[in-house]
Amino acid sequence: MTLPWGLFLALLAVTSAETPGCKIRVTSKALDLVKQEGLKFLEQELETITIPDLRGSEGPFSYNISEVKVNKLQLVQSELYFKPNHDLILYISNASISLHFRRELLYWFLYDGGYVDASAEGVSIHTALQLARDSGGRMKVSNVSCGASVSKMHAAFGGTFKKIYEFLSTFIISGMGFLLDQQICPVLYHAGLVLLNSLLDTVPVRSAVDQHVGIDYSLLNDPVTSASNLDMDFRGAFFPLSEANISLPNQAVEPQLQENERMVYVAFSEFFFDSAMDSYFRAGVLRLELVGDKVPKDLDMVLRATFFGSIILLSPAVIDAPLKLELQVLAPPRCTIKPSGTTISVTAGLVIALAPPDLPQVQLSSMTMDARLSAKMALRGKVLQAQMDLRRFRIYSNQSALESLALIPLQAPLKTLLQIAVMPLLNERTKRGVQIPLPEGIDFVKEVVTNQAGFLTIGADLHFSKGLREVIEKNRPTGDHGPTSSPPQSVAPTS
């Protein structure tokens, strides 16, 4: 391949990459919290280890070890950290496992049986979880590697045959240690590839926000880990449910995450908000009609006085007809994010008419309204909310500059109309917000919103509103019967 052709293909690959509308960074500061909750879950999983019976003979002695159960697990020393190319590493050292089992010994015609307590000391477990994007755009644990070892075993044998058990303990204890080694990693394979993936399945990928629009949080590529962070790029695009295959092209500035002080950071570009407003516009819901009693009385009087010359010339059946206002957004609103704040620019058309019952409406005037709204973003739990305020407003005629001058007295009353009739409806919807891609049972707390040029970032800490065990049990795959002696099939990552 010639050098110019190779450069062209490299440039093509870069320019064809999709720009994320949403980014999330999990920092190493979150790992202590995740480790605390994860170790509780892991202890419970390891306590379900099933160790097969151990049978053997030595000279005239035959022994059988059965009904082995884990009584207690102590994970004293542990580390959870990011590692490039391996994503997430869990290392447990100097752990101990308390066991209880049934012993049986046969010597010629003599039989002895009973129960014994044992312990495994110096247990070490090293696990690496590899994270990847699956074919549906969801983050998955794609591979689990595991190594486990037990440095020593101890069992407190007693009874008439204590000396014999002590003689056989080398074979019994070493055999039990080997069997324990073989059972630890299958539990971790199952916890990672089955149970942890069931938790990740609770992250919304492509879902409905309400009856009009949906949100697409597909991962654009595999998560990227450094020594201190896990970074994820999401599409972050809304779409109208009636036109699910239509999405707004993303030409906005790509969000950048540089901070590491908080547990997690989320960044949203202008495109994220533009696609939301574009989707609602396409869904045809950015319109409002006020008729009769819905029109404030003061505004009704002002409008009738303003258009008195036109009204007086109408037929008596129409003169006293209810007033009707039709407000409709003419183009998708646009979001601008600057360090000074976030603004939404809206252009709408307003038709003022009389609506006599059982007769065609009579238009009195039509005008264009330009409005600029300020937007204050907040994150509550895992829901992104917005509070809108009307900052600037002007009206002008579609007919002539002279008519625009005549509309100046309507500027103040129509602005009041927007503030008392339109803004509360808008804020009621934006307060319901939209969920961001977090697993069930995990919320954000202590949020701080920062505006940048073209995007905003939210730094926060994490909080487990539900226990990991509770969420996983709720979402455990149907037919899951626990770990097997061999690791489950890995999830193949996509390119």
Side-chain angles (χ1 to χ4, degrees), residues 54 139 226 309 398 460:
L54 178 66
M139 185 169 71
S226 66
N398 298 324

Side-chain angles (χ1 to χ4, degrees), residues 290-295 300 303-304 311 314 316-326 351-364:
L290 300 176
V291 183
D293 293 341
K294 298 296 183 181
V295 180
D300 187 289
L303 292 177
R304 288 182 186 276
I311 295 175
L314 300 174
V318 177
I319 289 178
D320 295 326
L323 204 63
K324 180 179 181 180
L325 305 182
E326 295 180 352
V351 174
I352 303 173
L354 293 174
D358 303 323
L359 291 174
Q361 72 177 33
V362 178
Q363 181 174 315
L364 299 177

